[in-house]
Amino acid sequence: MKNNVFTQVQLNFRSALKASFYPALLLMLGFSLLAVSCTKSDSQRIPDVTVEEIMDFASQQLVILIDETDAAIERNPMSNRGPHVNSRAVRDGELFIIPSRDWTSGFMPGLLWFMYEYTGETYWLEHAKRHTAHIEREKTNAGTHDMGFKIYCSFGQGYRLVDDPHYRDVIVESARTLITRFNPTVGAIRSWDHNTDRWDFPVIIDNMMNLELLFRATQITGDSVFYDIAVEHARTTIDVLFRDDYSSYHVAGFNPETGELTAQHTHQGAFHASNWARGQAWGLYGYVMSYRFTGYAEFLQQAENIAEFILNHPNLPADLVPFWDYDDPNQPNTARDVSAATITASALYELSTMGTNQSAYYKNKADQILASVYHNFRSADGENFGFLLERSTGHLPHGYEIDVPLIYADYYFIEAALRKQRLEAR
Ligand code: GLY
């Protein structure tokens, strides 16, 4: 009897175990599958986006941006650095307008040129021309390296689309102004004139972006002086700003008399040895573009190495939009930088055309970034004064433009979309 009772208890226990074990097992299996799909393959599950969807959204938003910008300039025409001309950001919930001297003044006209390129419509052409004309005065401003950002993104994009000899002259004059900042002893163009207590002659990773203006100036004039300086600058940047893992510092300081390297710093990143996210994206874009103009294998190799650094970074979120600095210890409780993602996507599309055995991989990653940004980071329809994307970060250490819409995130987003269109039309 005892045995029987014991057996019965055992049987009851076994069937109870069975009854709870199998559902528990299924539950555990479900959780494991969910965990795997949330980590490894999250980026693969981002739904696709078409160029048409992006451009339809952009046309609706940018009409608003034009009107809001015009209205804001009418209310407040002058800054203490010259007349307001274009929009840069949303700061503290307000549209932030800027004079032509601002490093971002070329992006809004550039966006309007992209819209004209896509639609062929006079509306975009007229507004693109009007916003481009405002920036011409920068062609003689030798006080900054940002000439490429300002003039190439406006006049340069315009000249690609309309054969206006005046645009060509502005590009060439701007390039002549920019090369006055080249120091042959250092082998680079001086980036900034500020913070001379920290560095004597600074060269920053962003400066790679200004080389496109110089390469174009040589194409237009046949004068190799611009090309030679651009190539030397790009080589010096590899030597002094990159680490062994192909991540980059933000700022290198030099003694301008001897050419000696005196500092490897950050300005916008978390700390000197950290990886400021937009800086990594500028570097990638800069070397892809330098390879386009020169065909030098060293630049293609550099671009591929930077791409690997970015795409394999353990702190890159599954949605492929980085936090503002890959090394911010507060991740994930810190700001994203969508601009770093859109610059990267645009560069990867071009890199995918350069005949490496990774072409399909680069194209696929660029597609994923574009889709992620479109689905997860775009403005609600009609919101954000017509800006396209939210959640970029301009300068976190100085406490401004954190987690906001920024014009250059939108510019590279649309450039990337048009590159995708060209690629897929082949
Ligand atoms: N070129 C300035 C910046 O990327 O914030």
Side-chain angles (χ1 to χ4, degrees), residues 30-69:
F31 277 134
S32 319
L33 281 174
L34 201 71
V36 168
S37 65
C38 282
T39 51
K40 287 222 159 103
S41 60
D42 227 21
S43 57
Q44 287 147 22
R45 291 188 299 110
I46 298 166
D48 236 357
V49 65
T50 63
V51 173
E52 200 182 351
E53 280 174 285
I54 292 175
M55 298 310 286
D56 283 352
F57 169 66
S59 1
Q60 285 165 33
Q61 289 292 108
L62 294 177
V63 167
I64 300 171
L65 184 66
I66 291 171
D67 290 347
E68 290 283 358
T69 303

Side-chain angles (χ1 to χ4, degrees), residues 16-34:
L17 197 69
K18 236 172 158 180
S20 59
F21 177 73
Y22 287 113
L25 188 71
L26 280 173
L27 215 65
M28 270 163 62
L29 236 132
F31 277 134
S32 319
L33 281 174
L34 201 71

